């Protein structure tokens, strides 16, 4: 299975996890959403390291990887974590005249819209991931008859 296929799976898992988090009204759904989100996040970033090296080579791997990971992380963190989440949260603060509670939001609606938007963005990653899978298929097609067998070589050169 080509590695970019796992990007498709990770994008779908991320979309599903944030959809669950947007709908979470109970503890179990919330925990499942968090675990699925962590698994999706844990799949995407290591895959980016491997796919970048396999597609562009080792010579400028650091620069190529930081172009994809560094720029995407920086922009995504600023836009989604700072501005979007803050805007949604502050939009759901209820002003009840009590100055202590004017900065607190309580309930599922505090971040629901943020999770819906992130879920839609994760779904939008499926199409480019499929495109990467299609355009790099020649890299992942290997002739297994020419591959070195896996094993431990003995002193006479045979495999154990």
């Amino acid at each position: 299975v080509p590695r970019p296929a796992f990007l498709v799976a990770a994008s779908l898992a991320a979309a599903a996890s944030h959809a669950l988090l947007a709908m979470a009204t109970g503890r179990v759904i919330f925990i499942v959403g968090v675990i699925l989100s962590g698994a999706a996040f844990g799949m995407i970033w290591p895959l980016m390291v491997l796919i970048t090296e396999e597609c562009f080579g080792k010579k400028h791997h650091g620069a190529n990887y930081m172009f994809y990971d560094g720029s995407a992380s920086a922009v995504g963190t600023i836009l989604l974590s700072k501005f979007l989440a803050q805007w949604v949260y502050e939009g759901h603060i209820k002003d009840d005249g009590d100055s202590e509670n004017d900065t607190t939001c309580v309930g599922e609606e505090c971040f629901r819209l943020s999770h819906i938007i992130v879920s839609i963005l994760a779904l939008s990653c499926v199409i480019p991931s499929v495109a990467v899978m299609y355009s790099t298929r020649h890299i992942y097609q290997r002739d297994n008859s020419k591959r070195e067998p896996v094993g431990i070589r003995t002193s006479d050169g045979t495999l154990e």
Side-chain angles (χ1 to χ4, degrees), residues 12-13 18 29 42 56 63 74 86 110 114 119 130 135 146:
L12 292 171
H18 284 281
I29 295 174
F56 301 109
Q86 180 180 347
C110 298
S114 297
S119 183
V130 169
S135 66
K146 295 180 183 177

Side-chain angles (χ1 to χ4, degrees), residues 2-25:
R3 285 195 175 106
F6 290 103
L7 280 178
V8 175
S11 298
L12 292 171
S17 69
H18 284 281
L20 282 174
L21 290 170
M23 298 183 307
T25 55

Side-chain angles (χ1 to χ4, degrees), residues 26-145:
R27 183 176 288 178
V28 173
I29 295 174
F30 179 76
I31 290 171
V32 170
V34 168
I35 290 171
L36 191 57
S37 178
F41 184 80
M43 283 191 330
I44 290 171
W45 299 115
L47 279 170
M48 290 297 292
V49 174
L50 296 170
I51 292 169
T52 302
E53 178 191 331
E54 291 170 345
C55 292
F56 301 109
K58 293 181 182 180
K59 186 173 182 182
H60 300 289
H61 176 68
N64 290 333
Y65 174 68
M66 285 312 296
F67 173 75
Y68 293 106
D69 181 38
S71 59
S73 292
V75 172
T77 298
I78 290 171
L79 293 179
L80 298 176
S81 299
K82 170 69 175 134
F83 296 118
L84 175 68
Q86 180 180 347
W87 175 73
V88 171
Y89 184 86
E90 288 176 352
H92 288 92
I93 294 174
K94 296 186 177 38
D95 185 14
D96 58 0
D98 185 8
S99 63
E100 289 182 19
N101 293 330
D102 286 347
T103 60
T104 304
C105 180
V106 178
E108 297 90 17
E109 72 276 352
C110 298
F111 290 103
R112 179 173 284 142
L113 181 60
S114 297
H115 289 298
I116 290 169
I117 291 170
V118 171
S119 183
I120 291 167
L121 288 172
L123 277 176
S124 72
C125 292
V126 172
I127 294 169
S129 296
V130 169
V132 167
M133 189 172 65
Y134 180 76
S135 66
T136 60
R137 68 188 180 283
H138 65 282
I139 294 171
Y140 297 100
Q141 290 175 342
R142 295 187 174 123
D143 185 1
N144 289 331
S145 65

